[in-house]
Amino acid sequence: MSVSAGCFSQAAIAQDWQQDKTYNITILHTNDNHGNFWQNGNGEIGMPARATLIKQIREDVEKAGGSVLLLSGGDINTGVPESDLQDAEPDFLGMNMIGYDAMAVGNHEFDNPLDVLAKQAGWAKFPFLAANIYKDGKRMFEPYKIFDKQGVKIAVIGLTTEDTAKIGNPEYISAVTFTDPKVEAKKVIEELKRDHNPDIIIAATHMGHYADGKHGSNAPGDVLLARYLNKGDLDMIVGGHSQEPVCMEGVNQYADFKPGDTCKPDVQNGTTIVQAHEWGKYVGRADYTFKNGEFTLKSYELIPVNLKKKVEVDGKKVRVFIQDEIVQDPDVLKALKPFKEKGQAALDIVIGHTNGELVGERSIVRNNQTNLGHMIAEAHRERAKADFAVMNSGGVRASIPAGDVSYKDVLTVQHSVTSYLRGYDR
Ligand SMILES: [Zn+2]
C-alpha cells in the first residue's frame, strides 16, 4: 500500500490486510538477560543455544506462512562479570545475530554512564524503546515502533519502571526523568490510533508483574498498567523486571511453575501479560491469529533453553536436560567466544595478595564478625569518606584463600553473580 503525501487523516490510513484471511503471528520474547550471553557453569542457557531455538521457530512459522516478532523486556546489563567488563557488547552482538526486533529499556541499562548506554544503542540493530524517559525535556528513546507483518500493522511501545529513578546509579541519572508509564502509555496509544491506526498494540515493558497488581514497595507494574488503559486498547504486554515466569493458576494467583510445565499467561482487562523469567532461561512463544481485526492467542509456552534438573543415578545426583539438548548455533558461538575469553582473562588478573585466609564462609559470617567483613566495611568507609561503615553479612558471599587475589575472587565475594560462577540450583 502507499499513502499519498498529504493524506494524514485516519480514513486515509487504509488497512493492508485482506478481509476473511487468517494471519499467523508469533510473538517471541525474553527479558532480564543480565549479561548471560554465554552458557552457565552447568551448560544451561546462553545465546548460542537461544539462537538455534529461535531460528528453528522462525523457520517453522515462516514455512507455514506466518510471521515472527521477537521482543525483549530489557535489563540486558549487569550480572555476569565477563559481560559487565565489556559493557555488555557480547550481549548486544548476540541479540543482533538472533534478530531481536525491539527492546524495552530496563533500569539496569542505567548502571553505566549515559555515554555507555548511547554506545550500546549504537551497537544494537534494533531500537531501544521507552515512552516515559526524558532528558532535557525530550524523550531519550523512541516511544514506539511500528512493524508491518504481511500488511498487519503492529505497534510496540516501550515503558520503563519509575523505580529506576530510585534504584539507578544517581551519578548517571540525576538529569533523567522517569514519568508515570501508565499515563504515558495512554497518551502514546491515543497518538498511535490517531496517526497510524495500528491493527495490534503491544507494550514491551520493564515494570514488573505483580499478581493482582499488589506491587508492595515497588512502582506499579504490568497488571495496573493493563487495568488503567481502556479495555481493548492494549493487546499484549511483554514484560520484565520482576524476573518471574508469569504463569497463572486460578484468578490472580501464580502457578507453581517448573521448567517444561504448561504456562497460562495473565490476562488483565483484556490484555495478555507475559514474562519469561530471567537470564534467557526460557524463550516465551505466543502463537496468535489475526483475522478481520481480531487478534487471538491460540497457544503459549515458555520453552526452556537447555535447562537441567537433578536426578539420582546409582545413588549420585546428576544434572540432565529437561528437554532435548539444543545445539549451540556455531556462528553465534564463534562470534561470542572471543568476548568470553577476553572477559575470563580480565577476571583472572591478580589485583592483590593476602597472607592469611579472608573468611567469608556463610556459616561463619552470618553469625560472627570476620576479617573479610571488616576489610570490606573499612574499604567502603574510606571510599565514602564516612565516619563509620557497616557491612551486612549477606554481601559477604565467599572466602578468599591465602595467596594471590584475582578480580574474580573479589566479584565472587561481593557480587550477586556468585550463583552464576558456581552454576545455579533451582
Ligand atoms: Zn529490572
Side-chain angles (χ1 to χ4, degrees), residues 274-296:
V274 298
Q275 192 176 149
H277 203 178
E278 60 185 3
W279 305 353
K281 289 176 183 173
Y282 303 90
V283 170
R285 173 177 181 171
D287 290 308
Y288 280 89
T289 57
F290 178 85
K291 188 183 177 188
N292 294 337
E294 286 294 312
F295 192 48
T296 311

Short mmCIF file of all heavy atoms in Angstrom, two decimals, residues 274-296:
data_model
loop_
_atom_site.label_atom_id
_atom_site.label_comp_id
_atom_site.label_asym_id
_atom_site.label_seq_id
_atom_site.Cartn_x
_atom_site.Cartn_y
_atom_site.Cartn_z
N VAL A 274 2.81 -11.40 29.60
CA VAL A 274 3.78 -12.50 29.63
C VAL A 274 5.12 -12.02 30.18
O VAL A 274 5.43 -10.82 30.16
CB VAL A 274 3.99 -13.11 28.23
CG1 VAL A 274 2.71 -13.70 27.69
CG2 VAL A 274 4.55 -12.07 27.25
N GLN A 275 5.89 -12.94 30.70
CA GLN A 275 7.27 -12.67 31.10
C GLN A 275 8.00 -14.01 31.15
O GLN A 275 7.43 -15.01 31.58
CB GLN A 275 7.32 -11.97 32.47
CG GLN A 275 8.70 -11.41 32.79
CD GLN A 275 8.80 -10.61 34.10
OE1 GLN A 275 9.83 -10.59 34.73
NE2 GLN A 275 7.74 -9.92 34.50
N ALA A 276 9.25 -14.03 30.70
CA ALA A 276 9.99 -15.29 30.54
C ALA A 276 11.10 -15.43 31.59
O ALA A 276 12.27 -15.65 31.25
CB ALA A 276 10.55 -15.41 29.13
N HIS A 277 10.71 -15.29 32.86
CA HIS A 277 11.63 -15.47 33.98
C HIS A 277 12.84 -14.54 33.85
O HIS A 277 12.68 -13.34 33.97
CB HIS A 277 12.01 -16.94 34.14
CG HIS A 277 12.47 -17.29 35.52
ND1 HIS A 277 12.83 -18.57 35.90
CD2 HIS A 277 12.67 -16.53 36.63
CE1 HIS A 277 13.20 -18.59 37.17
NE2 HIS A 277 13.11 -17.36 37.63
N GLU A 278 14.02 -15.07 33.52
CA GLU A 278 15.24 -14.25 33.53
C GLU A 278 16.37 -15.00 32.82
O GLU A 278 16.28 -16.19 32.58
CB GLU A 278 15.67 -14.01 34.98
CG GLU A 278 15.96 -15.35 35.69
CD GLU A 278 16.27 -15.23 37.16
OE1 GLU A 278 16.23 -14.13 37.70
OE2 GLU A 278 16.59 -16.28 37.76
N TRP A 279 17.47 -14.25 32.49
CA TRP A 279 18.75 -14.81 32.04
C TRP A 279 18.68 -15.63 30.75
O TRP A 279 19.61 -16.38 30.46
CB TRP A 279 19.39 -15.68 33.14
CG TRP A 279 19.58 -15.02 34.47
CD1 TRP A 279 19.37 -13.71 34.78
CD2 TRP A 279 20.04 -15.64 35.69
NE1 TRP A 279 19.65 -13.48 36.10
CE2 TRP A 279 20.06 -14.64 36.69
CE3 TRP A 279 20.42 -16.96 36.01
CZ2 TRP A 279 20.46 -14.91 38.00
CZ3 TRP A 279 20.81 -17.23 37.32
CH2 TRP A 279 20.82 -16.21 38.30
N GLY A 280 17.57 -15.53 30.02
CA GLY A 280 17.42 -16.39 28.84
C GLY A 280 17.21 -17.85 29.19
O GLY A 280 17.50 -18.73 28.40
N LYS A 281 16.66 -18.09 30.39
CA LYS A 281 16.34 -19.47 30.76
C LYS A 281 15.25 -20.04 29.85
O LYS A 281 15.18 -21.24 29.64
CB LYS A 281 15.85 -19.53 32.21
CG LYS A 281 16.93 -19.29 33.25
CD LYS A 281 16.30 -19.27 34.64
CE LYS A 281 17.34 -18.97 35.70
NZ LYS A 281 16.70 -18.79 37.03
N TYR A 282 14.38 -19.13 29.39
CA TYR A 282 13.29 -19.54 28.51
C TYR A 282 13.17 -18.57 27.35
O TYR A 282 13.53 -17.40 27.47
CB TYR A 282 11.93 -19.49 29.24
CG TYR A 282 11.87 -20.32 30.48
CD1 TYR A 282 12.23 -19.78 31.72
CD2 TYR A 282 11.45 -21.65 30.43
CE1 TYR A 282 12.17 -20.55 32.87
CE2 TYR A 282 11.38 -22.42 31.57
CZ TYR A 282 11.75 -21.87 32.80
OH TYR A 282 11.69 -22.62 33.93
N VAL A 283 12.62 -19.08 26.26
CA VAL A 283 12.07 -18.21 25.22
C VAL A 283 10.55 -18.36 25.31
O VAL A 283 10.03 -19.47 25.26
CB VAL A 283 12.58 -18.61 23.82
CG1 VAL A 283 11.81 -17.86 22.74
CG2 VAL A 283 14.07 -18.33 23.71
N GLY A 284 9.87 -17.23 25.50
CA GLY A 284 8.41 -17.27 25.52
C GLY A 284 7.89 -17.27 24.10
O GLY A 284 8.40 -16.54 23.24
N ARG A 285 6.90 -18.10 23.83
CA ARG A 285 6.33 -18.19 22.48
C ARG A 285 4.81 -18.07 22.54
O ARG A 285 4.15 -18.91 23.15
CB ARG A 285 6.72 -19.53 21.83
CG ARG A 285 6.02 -19.75 20.50
CD ARG A 285 6.44 -21.04 19.82
NE ARG A 285 5.73 -21.15 18.54
CZ ARG A 285 5.99 -22.07 17.62
NH1 ARG A 285 6.94 -22.95 17.81
NH2 ARG A 285 5.30 -22.09 16.50
N ALA A 286 4.32 -17.01 21.93
CA ALA A 286 2.87 -16.78 21.88
C ALA A 286 2.42 -16.84 20.43
O ALA A 286 2.81 -16.01 19.62
CB ALA A 286 2.52 -15.42 22.49
N ASP A 287 1.62 -17.85 20.10
CA ASP A 287 1.11 -18.00 18.73
C ASP A 287 -0.29 -17.40 18.64
O ASP A 287 -1.21 -17.86 19.30
CB ASP A 287 1.06 -19.48 18.34
CG ASP A 287 2.46 -20.06 18.15
OD1 ASP A 287 3.24 -19.46 17.39
OD2 ASP A 287 2.77 -21.09 18.78
N TYR A 288 -0.40 -16.38 17.81
CA TYR A 288 -1.67 -15.67 17.63
C TYR A 288 -2.20 -15.87 16.21
O TYR A 288 -1.43 -16.14 15.28
CB TYR A 288 -1.46 -14.16 17.80
CG TYR A 288 -1.37 -13.64 19.21
CD1 TYR A 288 -0.13 -13.58 19.86
CD2 TYR A 288 -2.49 -13.18 19.87
CE1 TYR A 288 -0.03 -13.06 21.15
CE2 TYR A 288 -2.40 -12.65 21.16
CZ TYR A 288 -1.17 -12.59 21.79
OH TYR A 288 -1.08 -12.08 23.06
N THR A 289 -3.50 -15.68 16.06
CA THR A 289 -4.05 -15.47 14.72
C THR A 289 -4.63 -14.06 14.66
O THR A 289 -5.04 -13.50 15.67
CB THR A 289 -5.18 -16.46 14.38
OG1 THR A 289 -6.22 -16.35 15.35
CG2 THR A 289 -4.67 -17.89 14.33
N PHE A 290 -4.59 -13.51 13.46
CA PHE A 290 -5.21 -12.20 13.21
C PHE A 290 -6.18 -12.38 12.05
O PHE A 290 -5.79 -12.85 10.98
CB PHE A 290 -4.13 -11.17 12.86
CG PHE A 290 -4.69 -9.81 12.56
CD1 PHE A 290 -4.96 -8.91 13.58
CD2 PHE A 290 -4.99 -9.44 11.25
CE1 PHE A 290 -5.50 -7.65 13.30
CE2 PHE A 290 -5.53 -8.20 10.96
CZ PHE A 290 -5.79 -7.30 11.99
N LYS A 291 -7.43 -12.06 12.31
CA LYS A 291 -8.44 -12.20 11.25
C LYS A 291 -9.50 -11.11 11.41
O LYS A 291 -10.06 -10.97 12.49
CB LYS A 291 -9.09 -13.58 11.32
CG LYS A 291 -10.01 -13.89 10.15
CD LYS A 291 -10.70 -15.24 10.32
CE LYS A 291 -11.66 -15.47 9.16
NZ LYS A 291 -12.48 -16.66 9.38
N ASN A 292 -9.71 -10.38 10.37
CA ASN A 292 -10.73 -9.31 10.37
C ASN A 292 -10.60 -8.39 11.58
O ASN A 292 -11.59 -8.01 12.21
CB ASN A 292 -12.14 -9.90 10.31
CG ASN A 292 -12.39 -10.61 8.98
OD1 ASN A 292 -11.73 -10.31 7.98
ND2 ASN A 292 -13.32 -11.53 8.97
N GLY A 293 -9.37 -8.08 11.93
CA GLY A 293 -9.15 -7.14 13.03
C GLY A 293 -9.06 -7.79 14.41
O GLY A 293 -8.76 -7.12 15.39
N GLU A 294 -9.36 -9.09 14.49
CA GLU A 294 -9.31 -9.78 15.79
C GLU A 294 -7.95 -10.46 15.98
O GLU A 294 -7.51 -11.22 15.11
CB GLU A 294 -10.41 -10.85 15.86
CG GLU A 294 -11.80 -10.31 16.04
CD GLU A 294 -12.00 -9.61 17.38
OE1 GLU A 294 -11.61 -10.21 18.41
OE2 GLU A 294 -12.51 -8.47 17.39
N PHE A 295 -7.31 -10.19 17.11
CA PHE A 295 -6.00 -10.77 17.43
C PHE A 295 -6.25 -11.77 18.56
O PHE A 295 -6.60 -11.40 19.68
CB PHE A 295 -5.08 -9.64 17.89
CG PHE A 295 -3.62 -10.00 17.99
CD1 PHE A 295 -2.97 -10.65 16.95
CD2 PHE A 295 -2.88 -9.64 19.12
CE1 PHE A 295 -1.61 -10.95 17.03
CE2 PHE A 295 -1.52 -9.92 19.20
CZ PHE A 295 -0.89 -10.58 18.16
N THR A 296 -6.06 -13.05 18.25
CA THR A 296 -6.47 -14.10 19.20
C THR A 296 -5.29 -15.00 19.57
O THR A 296 -4.63 -15.55 18.68
CB THR A 296 -7.59 -14.97 18.57
OG1 THR A 296 -8.59 -14.11 18.03
CG2 THR A 296 -8.21 -15.90 19.60
#
